[in-house]
Amino acid sequence: MAATVRPEVPAASRAAALVGRLTLDEKAALTAGVDSWHTAVIPRLGIPALRLSDGPSGARGDTSPQGVPRTPSICIPSGTALGATWDPDLVAEAAAAVARQALEKGARVLLAPTVNLHRHPLWGRNFEAFSEDPVLTARLAVAYIRAVQGAGVAATVKHLVGNESEFERNTASSDIDERTLRELYLLPFEHAVRVAGVLAVMTSYNRVNGCHVPDDARLLAGVLRGEWGFRGLVMTDWFGLSRTAEAARAGLDLEMPGPARSYGPALAAAVRAGEVEEARLDDAARHVLELQERVGGLDAPPGEEAPLDRPEDRALTRRCAAASIVLLANRGLLPLDAGALRRILVVGPNATRPAITGGGSALVVPHYRLTPLQVLRDRLGPGCEVVHEEGAGEGGIRRAAELARGADAVIAVVGTDPDVEGESFDRVSMDLPGDQDALVSSVCGANPRTVVVVNSGAPVSLPWREGCAALLQCYFAGQELSSALVDVLLGEADPGGRLPTTLPVRLEHAPAFGSFPSESSHVRYAEGPLIGYRWYEARHLPVAFPFGHGLSYTTFEIGPPKLSATTLGPGERLRVTVPVRNTGGRSGSEVVQLYVAPPGGGRRDPGGRLRPVKELRAFAKVHLAPGQAAEVELELGERAFAYWDVADADWFALQARHPVSVTHGHDAPLHRERAGWYVDPGVHRLLVGRSSADIAHAAEVSVSGGGEPLDPSLPPD
Ligand code: GLC
């Protein structure tokens, strides 16, 4: 997918003219919110307030002092569920529905998407983010942002950067080396800015390498605005600002929420004291007004909230939820034949309390919600007795086992909930809460026709996974979770999900196990670029289910890829065509995944660089009827073969003083003077498959490069 040219912010706009007419105090007033969700009004010039609204799973709109939304919202699948769809087009449809609802609530800025990465299974907000992989995250974020902004609402990509734990999130420092920052944690933000043209960025609460992001000139002025050319608005996370002059000089524009504390009048005073150039204040005020102008917010104040509950939005959310459900294992049980069922047992807490989203600012109150138990009873009708036993607590396990015997099937819906997975806290265990593991083992032992549905936002331990006849991962899939789940269980929808994150065998195997969360206020990203599957592959660790894994009710054959060339030179792009056929008897969807394996991947090269075994670089989802075939077109630019070299100024300085000979036992130089994206020359392998562990075909391309960094203007994809 070639990058589009970033939509330029109009230069001579009304905003620029307005800034020229504002007093210093009026400009400063615009740099801070006036309450939780609104920017300042400037009556003298007829500038209305601009309303902002959370969040990634739905437009919350205004909230009570306790943070409870005042009106209902469409609740689309959460980030991880969207990630599990691997379907940018579907994500775009869902995001557009959220944007429409934002406008119905008078909000023209949506505080979404969340593009932090699933660094560790216990991060409280994993559910809100898309994936462990930066490319999957980036592609879905671009689709989300383009759809929201295409509906006339500004998207706000968040939280820049290194917000992968909640414990002491306002004070801890995410200590991330530059190569890991660039290749992983900054990559989705780079795509959001350079490919999607996102209009707003939200800084994170945490420090990065000791510096609070709102105060970090290297990140904001240097990377975001200088390197990537971002010309939109930079806002804080809520109550995330503690300094005035440092943040202003770094490039922060807007303090949220109001009333002003470190910006507003304090910023005016800093300008008068000569600590901040007035030109920087002009920029900040202009960024606020340009954002307002770009989304039509200069002409009228926000209206009353009037959210609609549309049938088409319900249908879309249901389709999106089914596309996010991952069939991890199926030993002949699914789909269930509704006509043959006379008595089934339903157990587990989430059968009556499904987790449709996680806790915190992403939580919305849906227009309505159903439970899996309700929907099963409704859909199976009077011909099938649906017995329910939650199975919790004393005697619950025993009752459940007794009821399981003799049932035509058992459906165990287990998982977490917003009190277990949410904002401002991390989980302390990967195990299912309470005695759910015992419940699952008990009913699986009592009835071999047991399907287990794990309803969680992040990985959970699956100690009983070999003992159930079928296993589904159902993320926080939004308001239509229950209907979509039953659609899948009864075969009326194909389970379209593929894992956006590895499911580890045990927590101790996780990449960040030794460095999560913070210790003495520091989170050391010690695993470097080996996030997720990159770690398990480099360490040869077994996993419960690999990144990208997911079964369908039909089968597919992926044929050998055809390459537009077998070499790739500077400035060139490679097209990869992959044939796919539905070889089964039902319609279904397949996700063709393309990984790049660099020369020497998985081992340290002579320069000491450790390249992952392979990295996801492109993917496409196809929907095929039985016997239907298609050709998937993928495209790779030079960045797909590149890594970030932090350069080695020390070595060159030492060489200048005391030259030592260096044996270049490697095609690429061991030491580089300039930091940047580099490609090591040599044969790279293109691995095509249906998961990181299920590669169908390999091809080779010879890539030139090595000496000079890639042109920074090259698109990131
Ligand atoms: C929260 C979240 C952020 C959200 C904001 C407003 O603390 O970190 O994602 O948009 O505050 O609720």
Side-chain angles (χ1 to χ4, degrees):
M1 172 184 67
T4 54
V5 174
R6 185 187 59 252
E8 289 304 317
V9 177
S13 68
R14 288 168 59 194
L18 280 171
V19 170
R21 298 169 57 198
L22 289 166
T23 67
L24 189 149
D25 290 313
E26 288 169 335
K27 287 183 280 194
L30 285 173
T31 67
V34 293
D35 58 23
S36 295
W37 308 115
H38 298 90
T39 61
V41 175
I42 308 291
R44 182 176 71 84
L45 296 180
I47 297 172
L50 180 66
R51 179 175 295 160
L52 297 75
S53 167
D54 285 317
S57 303
R60 273 202 311 171
D62 198 8
T63 55
S64 70
Q66 295 69 35
V68 178
R70 295 191 191 282
T71 55
S73 313
I74 179 177
C75 179
I76 69 168
S78 67
T80 312
L82 295 179
T85 69
W86 287 66
D87 189 339
D89 295 338
L90 186 55
V91 167
E93 286 186 69
V98 173
R100 273 197 305 273
Q101 189 110 109
L103 291 172
E104 288 163 0
K105 297 195 176 185
R108 295 176 185 272
V109 180
L110 183 67
L111 304 172
T114 299
V115 300
N116 303 106
L117 300 183
H118 296 168
R119 174 175 179 257
H120 192 277
L122 301 189
W123 175 37
R125 294 178 81 169
N126 269 314
F127 75 91
E128 197 177 319
F130 292 108
S131 169
E132 71 187 19
D133 183 84
V135 168
L136 177 58
T137 299
R139 293 284 160 79
L140 297 179
V142 165
Y144 189 108
I145 291 162
R146 281 172 165 163
V148 167
Q149 297 188 166
V153 175
T156 310
V157 67
K158 67 185 186 181
H159 311 78
L160 182 80
V161 65
N163 185 165
E164 275 83 26
S165 56
E166 294 301 289
F167 176 65
E168 297 190 340
R169 64 177 177 167
N170 298 78
T171 52
S173 173
S174 295
D175 297 345
I176 313 173
D177 67 273
E178 186 67 10
R179 176 183 169 205
T180 302
L181 258 181
R182 297 281 184 157
E183 292 184 16
L184 300 184
Y185 300 97
L186 283 175
L187 192 78
F189 292 96
E190 183 182 1
H191 280 247
V193 170
R194 297 187 59 211
V195 180
V198 73
L199 291 176
V201 173
M202 182 189 291
T203 56
S204 57
Y205 284 121
N206 53 277
R207 294 178 289 152
V208 173
N209 299 322
C211 182
H212 268 108
V213 178
D215 310 337
D216 192 331
R218 190 189 77 83
L219 271 179
L220 301 186
V223 176
L224 180 64
R225 295 190 191 281
E227 287 184 42
W228 298 344
F230 180 65
R231 297 173 56 194
L233 177 99
V234 179
M235 71 176 81
T236 63
D237 199 341
W238 267 229
F239 304 103
L241 183 62
S242 57
R243 290 178 160 173
T244 301
E246 292 83 353
R249 289 196 290 264
L252 180 82
D253 298 316
L254 177 64
E255 173 185 31
M256 288 304 289
R261 289 169 300 284
S262 302
Y263 261 28
L267 182 51
V271 170
R272 291 191 169 97
E275 295 166 10
V276 177
E277 295 291 328
E278 184 162 2
R280 176 71 263 286
L281 173 58
D282 293 353
D283 283 348
R286 194 182 76 255
H287 289 151
V288 173
L289 294 176
E290 280 178 341
L291 178 70
Q292 209 159 343
E293 179 180 4
R294 298 293 304 280
V295 294
L298 275 182
D299 302 315
E304 289 305 309
E305 300 198 355
L308 296 179
D309 175 15
R310 294 182 179 80
E312 59 269 33
D313 287 345
R314 294 184 178 199
L316 165 63
T317 305
R318 181 166 172 173
R319 180 159 52 91
C320 198
S324 76
I325 293 175
V326 186
L327 180 57
L328 296 173
N330 188 16
R331 294 177 258 273
L333 179 62
L334 295 182
L336 296 173
D337 174 359
L341 297 174
R342 293 290 169 270
R343 181 173 173 276
I344 68 167
L345 171 67
V346 177
V347 300
N350 293 54
T352 53
R353 298 184 299 281
I356 65 171
T357 181
S361 59
L363 187 140
V364 290
V365 174
H367 291 281
Y368 73 98
R369 76 167 67 193
L370 301 172
T371 72
L373 178 64
Q374 279 175 295
V375 176
L376 279 165
R377 282 182 166 150
D378 176 55
R379 299 276 283 279
L380 293 174
C384 177
E385 182 190 5
V386 179
V387 178
H388 172 243
E389 165 56 60
E390 176 141 328
E394 188 58 39
I397 301 294
R398 186 176 33 74
R399 283 194 306 276
E402 284 164 7
L403 290 166
R405 290 186 193 91
D408 297 328
V410 178
I411 301 173
V413 190
V414 294
T416 62
D417 62 36
D419 294 331
V420 174
E421 295 191 69
E423 183 176 337
S424 78
F425 57 88
D426 298 310
R427 281 190 294 166
V428 293
S429 164
M430 203 169 74
D431 297 343
L432 284 169
D435 48 14
Q436 297 183 62
D437 280 338
L439 169 64
V440 171
S441 300
S442 168
V443 294
C444 285
N447 190 321
R449 292 173 54 79
T450 295
V451 49
V452 180
V453 180
V454 175
N455 174 209
S456 67
V460 298
S461 308
L462 306 165
W464 30 259
R465 64 185 177 279
E466 300 303 333
C468 54
L471 175 56
L472 292 157
Q473 171 66 50
C474 179
Y475 292 109
F476 293 164
Q479 67 183 56
E480 299 296 342
L481 180 154
S482 300
S483 298
L485 174 60
V486 174
D487 290 343
V488 167
L489 289 171
L490 302 184
E492 292 172 25
D494 189 58
R498 299 292 184 273
L499 288 178
T501 277
T502 307
L503 300 186
V505 170
R506 51 182 313 133
L507 189 62
E508 293 82 353
H509 290 174
F513 171 70
S515 51
F516 175 95
S518 61
E519 179 184 335
S520 304
S521 295
H522 286 266
V523 188
R524 293 173 298 103
Y525 283 48
E527 73 282 2
L530 298 181
I531 192 171
Y533 64 90
R534 293 164 170 81
W535 171 266
Y536 300 108
E537 289 184 349
R539 305 293 294 266
H540 300 283
L541 286 171
V543 297
F545 294 98
F547 173 78
H549 171 73
L551 304 176
S552 165
Y553 287 148
T554 185
T555 53
F556 296 92
E557 181 181 73
I558 295 176
K562 288 193 293 293
L563 278 55
S564 58
T566 54
T567 60
L568 188 77
E572 295 176 346
R573 295 182 71 83
L574 184 70
R575 284 187 313 285
V576 182
T577 305
V578 184
V580 190
R581 174 182 300 279
N582 180 337
T583 52
R586 301 170 60 100
S587 294
S589 56
E590 179 61 297
V591 178
V592 176
Q593 302 162 36
L594 171 58
Y595 298 83
V596 171
R603 295 189 303 279
R604 283 194 176 283
D605 72 19
R609 301 179 196 93
L610 177 60
R611 301 287 299 279
V613 173
K614 60 175 177 286
E615 295 173 288
L616 178 74
R617 287 306 191 217
F619 61 89
K621 191 167 197 174
V622 289
H623 304 268
L624 298 173
Q628 188 183 5
E631 287 202 331
V632 165
E633 297 289 340
L634 303 172
E635 193 175 284
L636 300 175
E638 287 174 275
R639 279 281 297 272
F641 301 88
Y643 62 92
W644 181 267
D645 190 320
V646 297
D648 189 347
D650 293 353
W651 189 82
F652 287 91
L654 290 167
Q655 275 291 81
R657 284 212 308 272
H658 178 58
V660 291
S661 65
V662 176
T663 52
H664 275 231
H666 182 53
D667 294 341
L670 299 185
H671 305 279
R672 292 189 172 109
E673 205 157 10
R674 279 192 298 155
W677 294 101
Y678 287 85
V679 174
D680 281 353
V683 174
H684 290 62
R685 295 170 65 231
L686 305 184
L687 306 175
V688 174
R690 50 189 331 275
S691 87
S692 60
D694 184 352
I695 299 301
H697 296 282
E700 292 186 345
V701 59
S702 177
V703 185
S704 56
E708 293 302 311
L710 296 184
D711 177 348
S713 68
L714 273 179
D717 59 357

